[in-house]
Amino acid sequence: MRSRSSVIYPILMSLALYGVSLTVPALEFLPVSDSSNPSVPPADSVQEIWSGREILMLGWLAIFDMQIAWYANPLHLINLGLMAGRMWRLNTAISALTLAVGLNTLLLFWQEIAIGMAEDGRLQSLHIGFYCWITSLSIPVVWNSWQWWVASTHSKASSE
């Protein structure tokens, strides 16, 4: 059986990537003004680049636009707590759900959301902050799946 300290490394890696994702640009939005032709941006439009910190502070409001990706953040904290508690089976399911909720961000390429006081926007491109965030959410999925597989392999070997 591995020591309890072996679970610290994936938790720290995930937290480090999460921290980086808060400090760098994450999402780039293009304002959409003409509802009859949303693929044509307004002539004077300026792309808005949001950092992970801005998204963390305001992202919970996206629920009003039927966007749930921000809610992967509290789920991620639960994942890390369950990793420390070595609950592999339960956490594999929760971490996979967390990743799926986080990937809901990709729907913003087709969905308009409020990006300013009086304007809507659509996701134009993803930046490094998004990739760091998704990777930090992916670490618990991979780690817990691996630990669950190792635990089931060892229990089968010991029962024989």
Side-chain angles (χ1 to χ4, degrees):
M1 191 72 139
R2 291 186 176 168
S3 69
R4 192 175 256 320
S5 65
S6 68
V7 76
I8 297 296
Y9 299 116
I11 291 173
L12 290 177
M13 284 185 354
S14 182
L15 286 173
L17 281 169
Y18 189 85
V20 169
S21 77
L22 296 176
T23 63
V24 296
L27 302 176
E28 184 174 340
F29 289 92
L30 185 64
V32 178
S33 65
D34 185 9
S35 60
S36 65
N37 191 359
S39 64
V40 177
D44 60 344
S45 69
V46 176
Q47 294 175 332
E48 289 194 35
I49 299 176
W50 290 6
S51 71
R53 181 180 55 255
E54 292 171 312
I55 296 167
L56 182 63
M57 290 186 327
L58 298 172
W60 66 273
L61 292 168
I63 193 77
F64 299 114
D65 289 319
M66 305 303 290
Q67 177 55 245
I68 62 169
W70 181 88
Y71 293 94
N73 294 306
L75 284 173
H76 185 57
L77 292 176
I78 293 169
N79 290 336
L80 297 179
L82 290 175
M83 280 176 69
R86 304 171 66 88
M87 303 174 130
W88 311 128
R89 186 180 298 180
L90 172 64
N91 201 23
T92 298
I94 293 174
S95 60
L97 173 68
T98 301
L99 184 58
V101 169
L103 288 172
N104 182 256
T105 302
L106 300 177
L107 293 178
L108 291 174
F109 280 113
W110 298 278
Q111 179 182 6
E112 292 179 21
I113 65 164
I115 60 169
M117 293 302 278
E119 64 183 351
D120 288 343
R122 182 172 287 136
L123 186 60
Q124 182 69 23
S125 64
L126 303 171
H127 289 271
I128 189 71
F130 171 79
Y131 296 111
C132 288
W133 180 64
I134 286 296
T135 303
S136 76
L137 298 181
S138 300
I139 289 172
V141 176
V142 173
W143 180 260
N144 290 299
S145 299
W146 173 256
Q147 292 300 318
W148 184 15
W149 180 78
V150 167
S152 67
T153 303
H154 283 284
S155 66
K156 287 179 186 176
S158 64
S159 66
E160 292 177 352

